[in-house]
Amino acid sequence: MEAYISREDYNFLYLTWDSRRASNTGYAFINCVNATLARDLCATLNGRTWRLIRSPKEVKCVYAHVQGLALNLAHYMGSSVVEEGYAHSPMILHK
């Protein structure tokens, strides 16, 4: 992610995980600290292929129905993905 956006420009990142396949599910949620950064990131990433994996799939950015750090945290509270010790929990990057 840091090749495309500074760590200070986003405060939440969740790469969803499929435990049965031991692989990510192919989508992620990122919360940028402002709308301009989110639009710029989408413009940069849309249509690109990932450099670290061999896949013909292209990145497609869409806006999530949950917006903002506080609402993302509230959305995942009580979920199994935020249980203590779960290795694939959302990352919160907050000052």
Side-chain angles (χ1 to χ4, degrees):
M1 219 48 234
E2 290 160 4
Y4 303 105
I5 189 171
S6 168
R7 277 192 108 149
E8 295 81 36
D9 293 338
Y10 64 100
N11 53 20
F12 181 88
L13 176 64
Y14 177 40
L15 178 63
T16 58
W17 190 257
D18 183 339
S19 298
R20 290 178 306 215
R21 293 182 332 161
S23 174
N24 71 66
T25 60
Y27 61 94
F29 298 93
I30 184 167
N31 187 73
C32 294
V33 297
N34 68 54
T36 300
L37 289 167
R39 281 190 295 272
D40 292 348
L41 181 62
C42 280
T44 300
L45 290 178
N46 259 331
R48 288 187 180 260
T49 55
W50 293 108
R51 296 178 302 168
L52 300 177
I53 60 170
R54 291 179 187 244
S55 172
K57 295 179 182 178
E58 294 182 349
V59 175
K60 179 181 177 188
C61 288
V62 296
Y63 295 102
H65 69 280
V66 176
Q67 296 289 317
L69 179 60
L71 291 176
N72 270 291
L73 294 176
H75 179 75
Y76 288 103
M77 290 307 282
S79 166
S80 63
V81 302
V82 293
E83 290 178 358
E84 188 172 337
Y86 184 66
H88 304 287
S89 292
M91 293 174 48
I92 300 159
L93 309 159
H94 191 61
K95 296 177 186 176

